């Protein structure tokens, strides 16, 4: 039995929905688990009829919602100490600082953006718990974030499956390529937006010095 046959059997099993849900939950607070890849793969095979696409979307979104709430609860109970121990200048510390700024500037809408930033979703949900962001507002914004993510991931895979209906491997590669492109675009926009305030501040300082002369 080759890998493709194994994938076909896995995706046609009713247990695939439980697997997708579990992976999405784990990815909410343990970002090593590749939930987006799993949902895109299910979407590719859904183009041939199994698994059922609407069920994939709902299960993925529900799992992401639960996982985010686990991360929020971790942040709420011990997040201040946990985040305070992160080494200064590290990538995790930078992610937390980005999350803090995003929460202060955009409120809960940062959750939706963070869903498409590598490592961003966990940093934001943990930080929102640590700063005691209102639980009801967190639920509302997170439902929007998880729902849009589940829909996007499954449809990206589904489009790849439709494009290469007889070759699911190519469909999967296309779906993953599309997802990677979107992630890179979001990350590029985020970095550009982060540079603009610092550049504006530098420009203002230069203007002030010039005026003083």
């Amino acid at each position: 039995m080759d890998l493709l046959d194994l994938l076909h059997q896995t995706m046609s099993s009713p247990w695939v929905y439980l697997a997708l849900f579990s992976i999405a939950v784990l990815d909410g607070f343990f970002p090593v688990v590749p939930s987006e890849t799993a949902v895109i793969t299910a979407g590719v095979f859904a183009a041939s009829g199994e698994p059922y696409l609407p069920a994939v979307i709902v299960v993925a979104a529900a799992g992401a919602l639960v996982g985010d709430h686990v991360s929020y609860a971790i942040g709420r109970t011990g997040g201040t100490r946990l985040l305070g121990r992160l080494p200064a200048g590290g990538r995790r510390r930078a992610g937390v600082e980005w999350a803090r700024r995003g929460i202060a500037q955009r409120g809960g809408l940062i959750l939706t953006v963070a869903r498409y930033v590598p490592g961003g979703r966990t940093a934001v949900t943990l930080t929102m718990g640590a700063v005691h962001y209102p639980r009801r507002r967190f639920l509302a914004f997170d439902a929007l974030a998880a729902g849009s993510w589940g829909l996007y991931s499954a449809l990206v895979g589904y489009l790849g499956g439709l494009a290469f209906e007889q070759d699911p491997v190519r469909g999967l590669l296309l779906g993953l390529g599309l997802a990677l492109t979107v992630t890179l675009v979001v990350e590029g926009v985020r970095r550009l937006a982060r540079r603009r305030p610092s550049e504006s501040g530098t420009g203002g300082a230069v203007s002030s010095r010039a005026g003083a002369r």
Side-chain angles (χ1 to χ4, degrees):
M1 181 187 298
D2 58 19
L3 181 59
L4 188 56
D5 289 334
L6 181 60
L7 275 174
H8 271 295
Q9 287 193 11
T10 302
M11 293 299 163
S12 60
S13 168
W15 291 101
V16 69
Y17 303 110
L18 178 60
L20 287 173
F21 178 82
S22 302
I23 291 171
V25 169
L26 284 172
D27 193 28
F29 58 93
F30 189 61
V32 177
V33 180
S35 62
E36 192 165 305
T37 302
V39 179
I40 290 173
T41 303
V44 169
F45 283 87
S48 61
E50 289 183 317
Y52 185 49
L53 181 64
V56 170
I57 295 171
V58 171
V59 166
L65 188 69
V66 172
D68 287 348
H69 275 73
V70 172
S71 180
Y72 175 87
I74 293 171
R76 197 175 179 92
T77 54
T80 304
R81 293 193 306 272
L82 180 66
L83 298 181
R85 292 175 182 172
L86 294 176
R91 291 184 62 183
R92 291 185 178 180
R93 170 72 72 173
V96 169
E97 293 305 320
W98 169 75
R100 288 186 190 276
R101 289 192 300 270
I103 294 167
Q105 294 170 6
R106 304 179 190 88
L109 286 176
I110 191 66
L111 265 175
T112 305
V113 177
R115 268 274 144 197
Y116 304 92
V117 176
R121 66 189 72 167
T122 307
V124 169
T125 50
L126 274 172
T127 305
M128 289 183 117
V131 301
H132 288 251
Y133 191 83
R135 196 183 300 271
R136 289 186 178 180
R137 293 185 66 189
F138 178 83
L139 173 60
F141 282 110
D142 196 43
L144 173 64
S148 66
W149 173 82
L151 181 66
Y152 152 78
S153 299
L155 286 182
V156 163
Y158 187 75
L159 290 174
L162 288 179
F164 296 98
E165 197 165 350
Q166 304 302 320
D167 192 346
V169 173
R170 289 189 179 183
L172 178 58
L173 292 175
L174 175 61
L176 292 174
L178 289 173
L180 179 61
T181 300
V182 171
T183 300
L184 291 175
V185 170
V186 172
E187 180 68 8
V189 171
R190 183 179 74 87
R191 292 194 176 196
L192 183 63
R194 190 170 61 183
R195 285 177 183 173
R196 281 180 178 174
S198 61
E199 289 175 357
S200 299
T202 303
V206 170
S207 299
S208 299
R209 288 197 297 270
R213 292 176 186 174

